[in-house]
Each structure stands twice: as C-alpha cells, then as structure tokens.
C-alpha cells in the first residue's frame, strides 16, 4: 500500500509538467520574445518578486527596476562609471552656502495621462515620501523637511536643506515623481499606499499593462514618452518580467528561447552559458563590496591589534579562486566606482610575519584563541570562504568557529554590540556613488544596520565624516575622503574583501543593454534596451 | 452520538487555540526583526521604530496575541510583510493553482496507481507484478527534485511538449 502511494508521488512531478500546460501563455512565443499585436515584448526571467509599485515604500532590486521603467526622477543614474544625468530636471543650481538647490524642469515632461510633470507634482511626491517615512525617506532624513520643498513656478522647484549635504543630488535618482491627480483620486486613508501596490502613476518610458502578483508583470512601451528613446525600433512593444524562481529553469528558459534575458545567475552558471553562440554574457564589477565585519566593541576583536593580525593572516587569493577570477580585491574601503576612491598603499594582504607582529602586541602573543565567523546558511560561496579562513588563521594559531545563520538571524545578531559576532560576512551595496554613502557605514549612525555590525566609534573618524558631508566644494571634500579611507583601513573594522563581478545573460538579439554599477544585481534598466526587429 | 460530537467540537476549539498560541509564540521568539524587515535594510532606526509602533509590534506579546485572535475571529489574517497585501487575498490568489496541481496529481495517481496495483495483485509475483514493483521502488528511490528537473529537460527542452513555466501567466 505504502509503495503504491509513493508511485503516486512519482506522477506528481509529471502532473506538474502537465499542469504547466493547462493554462498556456495567451500569446504564442515568436522567435524568442513574445509577440503581441505584431509588437515585440522582451521577456525577462528573474527570481525576485515585485511586491509593489509605490516609490514611497520599501525598495529592492525588483521594485527599483519597475520604478525606473514606470516613473521618472529629477535626475537618473546611467553608465559605467555611474553618473547622475539630468532627467525631469534639465538643469540645477546650488546656492553659495550649499543650502538651496533649485531645479529647472523639462517643460515637455508629461505623465502617462497626458498631464504635465510640473513643479507641484515634484513637491507633492517629495512631501508624500517624507510623510509616509518609508522607502527612500531615510536618504534625506535630517536634511530636508516637507515644508522646505517649494514650487517657485510651474517648472522650478526649490529645496532648502536644514544643513549643507554634499550627497543630496546623488540620492535624488531614487525619488520618483508620482502623478498627484491619480494618487489623490485613490488616496484612501493611507496616502495612496494601497492603490500603488499594484497600480502606477508615473511618467516613465513604460506603462503598466498587467500586474499579476507572484507570476508576471507586463509593461507596455510608452510610445509617446516625452524624452523619446535612444534607439529606433517601432516594433518594440514592451517588457514582460516573469518570475522563474530556480536558476536551472532560468537557464533552460533562456536556451529554449522562452526568455530573452535572465538575471541573478551565479558565476559558474554564467560561465557555462558563455559558450552558447546565441547568448551574450555581460559582466561588470559591481558597486557592492564584500567584507568580513568585525565587532570592534565587544569580544576579542575589540582589540585593534587582533583585528590587524586577522587581516594580515587572511588569504585574500581565496576570494578570487572561489569566484573563478570573476572579482577584484578591494584596495580601499571604497569600491572603485565610488567618487573620490584612492587606493590605499598599506592595505593588508596575507603576511604571516606581520600578523604575528600584531599578535605579539596583544594579550595572546601566541594566538590560542577562537573567533566566531557568522555567514549566510546555504550560501556555498561563503561556506568556501569559511573553510579558507580556518586554514589561513591556523597559521597564527587561531581557531575559527563556524556559525551559519539565516539572513534575518544574522541581521538580528548584528543589531547590538553584545550579540554581534567576532566576524560576519556581509555584502553591502550603497545606493549612491557619493563617498558619503560608504563613509557613513563607519559612523555610529549605521550602528544596528546590517552593515554596521562592527559598531565602530572613533571620534576622529566621526568628525572627518561629518565635515566631509557638510562641505559642498568637491576640491575640498576629495582630500578629506582620501584621509577617511586611510583612517578606516588603520582602524580595520573589517577584513576588506572584494568586488564581485555581476552579470546578466541575454540572447544576442537583445540590443542596447547597458549595465551600471549603481544598479543592484538583477536590476535592469529597460530604457535603452530593445529587441532586434 | 450528539454528545460525542459536541465534546469533540469543544476539544477542537481548545486544541486550535493551543495550536495558535504555540505557533504565535514560536513566530515571535524566532530571531529577526519584522519591523526592520518591513522597513528595508537602509532604513534609519527611527523609521524602524515608527513601523514597529504602527504595526503594534512594540506591544507586549499577550496583547498582540489578543489582537491576533480578535482579528482572526473577524476573518482578518493580517497583512503580509513580504507582499504587503492582505494574507487572505494572497491565499485566494495562489490557492487555485495549488488545488489544480493537487487534483491533477490525484487524477494521475488514481488512474494509473489503482489499475497498476490491481494488475500486480492479479499477477502476483509474475512478470507484470515485478515490472510494476520495479517502477514503484524507483519512484520511492528517485529524488523528486531530480526527477522534476529531468522531466522539465526531457518534456520541455527535448520534446518541446510544454513551456517551462508560466502556468499563471496570461
């Protein structure tokens, strides 16, 4: 009996395959892209669900990808290296004291309903985000209040900051402008938050066609986009972002031609596809850094000499070996794409003699202690790093206790100096290329956040960071950031790791695809991307 | 009989209550901060606290359990932190697909499993029985995820009978 019921199980998998065909896609696949009314729809197979479309709520890679397609910001990040480019705003001026920023809007800009994207809409959107106080609100917290955004005339917006903030402009690409008429009409009792979960109110190059939560999201190209397109192909009809939650299925979909572009594949999977002549792999070094953060307040790593000893004992080549060469070691706490990056000459590299020198200055001149290393459970890359760490630290007689945890548990452990482990593996992606976005990670303002698990508090460094972020003249800021980078290396709150290359794989008929390091892994900017007619 | 049913129903109420209490406590003592999760990784600590207060996560466990029970009684399962939609709405959206899968697989099981089982019984220890047994044992032994992958590969990539995914896409 039991065996027979297991036989039934055998057929479940078959049934799954059959059920997949019960409701076939309404539009039949053409060469690769979906064809709808003779227009080409680019199919993207991604793993991250789009949980909402509201620019004022929490963002992640999938949400940001949709935002960039449906909405416009005053400015936009483009290119490699990422640069802030004029978008809704044609130009802007800053006052002498760095407090007043005036933006001149492009008079041609219009929302999907045809109404103009004017100064009132910009003011409304900024105030809405600040009042909801979620999503990007943290970026300008303490610098801007809802009352200090004003419409001077129909196409001029003025921001009066509480104090000078040099990174101000670099955050604006993530503040998208919503159509006030649409939001007001669906305001409800939550400032339109419920409405914008599955509806959009933007002016962007794409228009929301269908939002099918948990399965697919269909965007229609906005043929009348006020800014026009960078390519010439009237057959480009839209984009379908389809959830395919397993990398093997993503790969198969790409090979079979059910997807034109897939995101989020690992290094080995990308390399396996590289030989396929129908497929292009584009990789760029990301803005994301990977570091091993050490608790600077509690436990054995509170001693800077212990931290230095560990940093000199670590085997940095293992980072690159694990990534099959698809990465680059960090030469500063700032990744290469951050403005003002300077390579630090005495960045620790494996040097056992030096490690022992530092160890000699501590209570444990001969080692003989244990450090706890916390990393993401089930993440093969990090497990391999852990093994290489055991090997490397053995040379200075230090044992490693491995603690794999789920991500929420890691964040919970890292939220207080009392529970933060000796060493924790963390990927950090800043949302801005301004150096303040990285420097602030080593300021007590970041304590309790996932990248602040080192709890570094150094009076001199704090002062440098605060001076630099208030300075508006780049000529004066740059040298301060050079000093900040050196100072952070001296304090060694983490074993500075590497920048992993990230890649996107697409069929060769996908054209105009351009990645920018500021985007998250898997976050595609649809604007310039199109299918060969 | 009526008394028995009544008694069972009463016990069931208590059992369900106990079960809900246990699940609630486990979900709440598990590490991880739901307010931080809802706010996003970059959110300032003030924003996290605002969300905590807004969702009532700063209240004592007992009071939150009270709210939970009261909401359940009115059919409100709460709002998902992940999808930001009411949980009931999410279940309603995805349940039909689950049901469809289950029904199709039960269909397969009954239409194939029962006749094969009968065949095995009739030809006990003869070739048909042995073949069926081999099939049955293979079914037990093969890992499901592997078989699923192989079926995807063979039925979709090789034979091109089915699309690889998108049952819910229209």
């Amino acid at each position: 009996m039991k065996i027979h019921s297991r036989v039934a199980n055998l057929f479940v998998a078959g049934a799954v395959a059959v059920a997949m065909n019960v409701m076939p896609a309404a539009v039949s696949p053409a060469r690769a892209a979906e064809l709808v009314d003779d227009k080409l729809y680019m199919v993207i197979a991604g793993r991250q669900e789009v949980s909402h479309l509201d620019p004022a709520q929490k963002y992640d890679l999938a949400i940001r990808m949709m935002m960039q397609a449906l909405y416009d910001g005053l400015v936009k990040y483009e290119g490699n290296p990422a640069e802030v480019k004029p978008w809704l705003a044609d130009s802007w001026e800053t006052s002498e004291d760095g407090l007043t920023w005036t933006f001149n809007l492009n008079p041609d800009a219009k929302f999907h309903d045809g109404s103009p994207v004017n100064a009132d809409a910009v003011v409304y959107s900024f105030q809405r985000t600040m009042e909801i106080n979620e999503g990007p609100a943290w970026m300008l917290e303490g610098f801007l209040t809802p009352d200090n955004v004003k419409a001077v005339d129909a196409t001029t917006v003025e921001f009066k900051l509480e104090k000078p903030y040099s990174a101000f402009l670099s955050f604006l690409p993530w503040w998208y402008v919503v159509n006030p008429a649409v939001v007001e009409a669906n305001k409800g009792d939550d400032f339109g938050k419920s409405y914008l979960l599955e509806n959009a109110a933007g002016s962007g190059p794409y228009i929301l066609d269908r939002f099918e939560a948990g399965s697919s999201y269909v965007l229609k190209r906005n043929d009348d986009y006020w800014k026009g397109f960078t390519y010439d192909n009237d057959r480009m009809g839209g984009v379908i972002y389809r959830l395919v939650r397993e990398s093997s299925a993503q790969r198969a979909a790409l090979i079979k031609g059910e997807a034109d572009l897939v995101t989020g594949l690992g290094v080995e999977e990308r390399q396996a596809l590289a030989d396929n002549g129908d497929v292009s792999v584009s990789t760029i070094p990301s803005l994301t850094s990977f570091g091993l953060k050490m608790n600077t307040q509690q436990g054995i790593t509170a001693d800077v000499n212990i931290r230095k000893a560990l940093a000199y004992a670590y085997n940095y080549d293992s980072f690159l070996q694990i990534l099959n060469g698809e990465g680059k070691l960090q030469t500063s706490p700032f990744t290469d794409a951050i403005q003002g990056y300077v390579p630090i000459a005495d960045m620790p590299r494996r040097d056992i003699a030096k490690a022992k020198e530092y160890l000699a200055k501590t209570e444990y001149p001969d080692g003989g202690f244990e450090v706890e290393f916390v990393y993401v459970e089930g993440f093969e890359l990090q497990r391999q790093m852990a093994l290489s760490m055991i090997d490397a630290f053995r040379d200075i007689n230090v044992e490693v206790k491995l603690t794999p945890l789920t991500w929420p548990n890691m964040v919970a452990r890292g939220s207080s100096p009392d529970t933060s482990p000796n060493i924790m593996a963390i990927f950090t992606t800043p949302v801005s290329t301004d150096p303040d976005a990285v420097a602030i990670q080593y300021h007590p303002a970041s304590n309790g956040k996932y990248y602040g698990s080192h709890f570094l508090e150094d009076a001199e460094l704090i002062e440098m960071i605060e001076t630099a972020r208030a300075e508006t003249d780049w000529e004066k800021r740059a040298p301060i950031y050079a000093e900040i980078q050196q100072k952070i290396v001296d304090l060694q709150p983490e074993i500075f790791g590497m920048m992993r290359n990230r890649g996107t794989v697409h069929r060769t008929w996908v054209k105009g695809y351009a990645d920018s390091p500021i985007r998250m892994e898997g976050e595609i900017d649809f604007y310039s991307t199109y299918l060969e007619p | 009989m009526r008394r028995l049913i009544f008694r069972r129903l009463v016990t069931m109420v208590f059992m369900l209550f106990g079960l809900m209490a246990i699940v609630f406590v486990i979900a709440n003592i598990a590490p991880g901060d739901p307010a931080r999760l809802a706010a996003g990784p970059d959110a300032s600590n003030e924003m996290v606290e605002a969300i905590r207060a807004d969702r009532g996560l700063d209240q004592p466990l007992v009071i939150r359990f009270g709210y939970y029970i009261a909401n359940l009684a009115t059919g409100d399962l709460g709002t998902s932190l992940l999808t930001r939609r009411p949980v009931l709405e999410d279940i309603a959206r995805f349940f039909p697909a689950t049901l469809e899968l289950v029904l199709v697989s039960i269909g397969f099981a009954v239409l194939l499993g029962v006749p094969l089982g009968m065949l095995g019984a009739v030809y006990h220890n003869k070739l048909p029985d042995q073949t069926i047994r081999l099939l049955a044992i293979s079914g037990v032994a093969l890992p499901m995820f592997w078989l699923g992958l192989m079926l995807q590969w063979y039925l979709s990539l090789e034979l091109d009978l089915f699309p690889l995914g998108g049952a819910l896409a229209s």
Side-chain angles (χ1 to χ4, degrees):
Chain A
M1 229 12 239
K2 188 153 194 215
I3 287 184
H4 283 145
S5 73
R6 289 303 187 99
V7 175
N9 277 346
L10 174 68
F11 293 106
V12 171
V16 172
V18 173
M20 279 175 174
N21 204 30
V22 170
M23 285 194 278
V27 278
S28 61
R31 183 177 57 187
E34 300 274 7
L35 210 55
V36 182
D37 300 333
D38 205 38
K39 292 252 186 179
L40 297 163
Y41 276 65
M42 178 165 64
V43 179
I44 297 177
R47 293 212 285 268
Q48 172 110 31
E49 176 166 358
V50 181
S51 52
H52 68 80
L53 299 173
D54 186 353
Q57 297 184 50
K58 178 187 150 180
Y59 53 83
D60 58 28
L61 76 93
I63 295 168
R64 280 209 332 201
M65 177 166 77
M66 290 294 151
M67 296 290 151
Q68 195 65 69
L70 297 166
Y71 297 90
D72 292 309
L74 288 174
V75 286
K76 182 187 171 189
Y77 273 116
E78 274 192 342
N80 179 19
E83 277 175 43
V84 174
K85 301 228 168 114
W87 213 256
L88 284 175
D90 272 339
S91 60
W92 53 88
E93 297 99 45
T94 325
S95 66
E96 201 59 27
D97 58 8
L99 290 173
T100 309
W101 290 71
T102 313
F103 289 84
N104 308 305
L105 304 181
N106 184 324
D108 297 335
K110 55 180 199 286
F111 287 111
H112 294 156
D113 67 1
S115 58
V117 184
N118 53 25
D120 286 334
V122 176
V123 172
Y124 180 88
S125 303
F126 273 79
Q127 289 178 341
R128 180 173 177 271
T129 301
M130 282 186 272
E131 263 156 46
I132 288 175
N133 197 26
E134 289 177 30
W138 65 272
M139 298 175 192
L140 302 180
E141 199 175 34
F143 293 99
L144 188 67
T145 58
D147 298 336
N148 287 340
V149 193
K150 287 200 173 75
V152 177
D153 59 47
T155 57
T156 315
V157 188
E158 188 184 88
F159 296 81
K160 273 210 157 62
L161 304 186
E162 302 282 297
K163 47 192 173 195
Y165 188 28
S166 46
F168 177 66
L169 186 70
S170 76
F171 286 116
L172 295 188
W174 311 120
W175 290 66
Y176 295 102
V177 177
V178 297
N179 187 338
V182 176
V183 178
E184 280 298 308
N186 301 281
K187 198 172 177 183
D189 57 0
D190 61 0
F191 226 141
K193 275 169 75 180
S194 305
Y195 175 76
L196 288 178
L197 289 180
E198 298 188 11
N199 297 283
S203 56
Y206 282 83
I207 300 170
L208 181 67
D209 189 20
R210 276 202 306 276
F211 186 97
E212 292 174 14
S215 68
S216 64
Y217 313 87
V218 183
L219 307 183
K220 209 168 112 248
R221 195 175 85 127
N222 179 6
D223 288 333
D224 301 323
Y225 187 44
W226 59 271
K227 208 174 166 62
F229 286 87
T230 51
Y231 57 87
D232 192 22
N233 179 9
D234 290 340
R235 279 196 75 202
M236 185 63 194
V239 173
I240 301 173
Y241 178 62
R242 187 166 284 164
L243 283 178
V244 179
R245 295 185 198 260
E246 278 173 18
S247 62
S248 58
Q250 283 182 300
R251 269 171 69 180
L254 186 76
I255 294 168
K256 199 183 169 194
E258 282 177 21
D260 299 300
L261 189 153
V262 301
T263 58
L265 293 186
V267 174
E268 283 175 8
E269 291 162 318
R270 288 204 304 268
Q271 290 179 342
L273 281 167
D275 294 335
N276 187 324
D278 298 330
V279 168
S280 301
V281 182
S282 28
T283 47
I284 61 166
S286 61
L287 199 64
T288 307
S289 62
F290 176 80
L292 306 167
K293 312 263 176 190
M294 295 185 273
N295 187 341
T296 62
Q297 286 198 11
Q298 303 276 335
I300 197 152
T301 46
D303 181 346
V304 66
N305 290 313
I306 294 276
R307 300 200 296 270
K308 285 274 172 205
L310 296 177
Y312 278 103
Y314 194 75
N315 180 5
Y316 294 85
D317 291 340
S318 70
F319 279 135
L320 302 179
Q321 282 160 9
I322 292 164
L323 290 172
N324 289 352
E326 289 267 3
K328 186 169 179 283
L329 292 183
Q330 266 182 272
T331 47
S332 152
F334 292 6
T335 49
D336 297 9
I338 296 290
Q339 202 190 355
Y341 148 86
V342 285
I344 302 297
D346 58 348
M347 194 74 168
R349 292 290 177 251
R350 184 167 162 87
D351 183 342
I352 293 300
K354 221 164 180 175
K356 285 184 172 163
E357 260 172 53
Y358 278 108
L359 213 50
K361 297 181 197 169
T362 70
E363 278 180 66
Y364 303 90
D366 304 314
F369 57 89
E370 184 185 74
V371 289
E372 186 191 14
F373 176 52
V374 169
Y375 62 98
V376 182
E377 193 173 67
F379 196 163
E380 179 56 22
L381 193 97
Q382 295 191 1
R383 197 187 63 86
Q384 289 179 23
M385 258 169 222
L387 297 179
S388 120
M389 185 189 286
I390 292 178
D391 249 7
F393 288 180
R394 195 171 284 147
D395 294 337
I396 53 165
N397 192 26
V398 172
E399 295 289 319
V400 183
K401 178 185 164 202
L402 302 186
T403 311
L405 291 178
T406 60
W407 177 244
N409 289 357
M410 278 177 68
V411 178
R413 288 246 356 227
S415 65
S416 151
D418 299 330
T419 53
S420 188
N422 299 130
I423 309 177
M424 190 148 90
I426 299 284
F427 281 103
T428 315
T429 308
V431 294
S432 149
T433 53
D434 190 278
D436 183 58
V438 182
I440 199 73
Q441 294 169 18
Y442 301 95
H443 182 282
S446 296
N447 286 357
K449 297 186 189 182
Y450 71 100
Y451 46 71
S453 69
H454 46 63
F455 292 92
L456 186 66
E457 290 203 36
D458 180 85
E460 211 181 315
L461 180 64
I462 293 170
E463 164 134 26
M464 284 154 84
I465 294 171
E466 284 172 1
T467 311
R469 75 189 328 208
E471 177 59 58
T472 48
D473 181 0
W474 176 248
E475 297 302 314
K476 289 183 188 151
R477 281 182 86 201
I480 310 179
Y481 282 113
E483 279 177 55
I484 286 176
Q485 290 168 74
Q486 180 68 53
K487 182 79 184 163
I488 298 172
V489 171
D490 292 344
L491 293 168
Q492 200 83 53
E494 71 184 80
I495 297 174
F496 298 102
M498 45 98 189
M499 295 154 278
R500 179 168 63 154
N501 285 356
R502 57 115 187 274
T504 304
V505 190
H506 53 81
R507 300 294 295 230
T508 46
W509 49 67
V510 172
K511 301 289 175 193
Y513 172 72
D515 201 350
S516 175
I518 190 74
R519 309 238 165 236
M520 296 188 206
E521 182 154 2
E523 178 190 355
I524 310 293
D525 179 8
F526 303 152
Y527 177 59
S528 64
T529 314
Y530 66 102
L531 294 161
E532 207 173 64
Chain B
M1 187 64 188
R2 205 174 281 172
R3 263 184 69 182
L4 180 76
I5 292 176
F6 180 72
R7 208 182 314 150
R8 282 284 157 92
L9 279 176
V10 172
T11 352
M12 205 173 79
V13 169
F14 280 105
M15 240 173 62
L16 271 179
F17 185 82
L19 198 68
M20 285 192 299
I22 292 170
V23 170
F24 188 83
V25 169
I26 290 178
N28 278 283
I29 57 172
D33 180 354
R36 166 61 66 186
L37 193 70
D42 294 311
S44 66
N45 294 333
E46 290 74 24
M47 284 166 63
V48 175
E49 292 316 313
I51 286 184
R52 199 187 308 286
D54 182 53
R55 309 255 165 125
L57 289 165
D58 53 349
Q59 305 278 332
L61 199 62
V62 182
I63 298 195
R64 273 153 56 200
F65 186 64
Y67 278 124
Y68 171 65
I69 296 291
N71 287 339
L72 269 189
T74 57
D76 180 4
L77 297 185
T79 306
S80 164
L81 284 179
L82 199 67
T83 67
R84 311 205 152 211
R85 286 184 298 269
V87 172
L88 206 61
E89 204 178 289
D90 271 356
I91 294 177
R93 202 183 293 228
F94 297 111
F95 185 69
T98 309
L99 190 71
E100 183 188 318
L101 278 181
V102 170
L103 289 180
V104 172
S105 41
I106 290 178
F108 267 90
V110 171
L111 292 179
L112 284 167
V114 173
L116 286 178
M118 281 160 64
L119 217 63
V122 172
Y123 297 97
H124 187 59
N125 273 344
K126 299 208 175 88
L127 187 67
D129 182 30
Q130 280 156 356
T131 316
I132 291 163
R133 202 177 304 151
L134 185 71
L135 200 72
I137 290 171
S138 316
V140 178
L142 291 176
M144 280 305 142
F145 64 88
W146 181 83
L147 190 66
L149 261 178
M150 286 302 110
L151 283 169
Q152 273 193 336
W153 165 72
Y154 190 68
L155 297 176
S156 183
L157 282 180
E158 291 294 314
L159 298 183
D160 205 8
L161 288 176
F162 312 109
L164 277 162
L168 289 175
S170 52

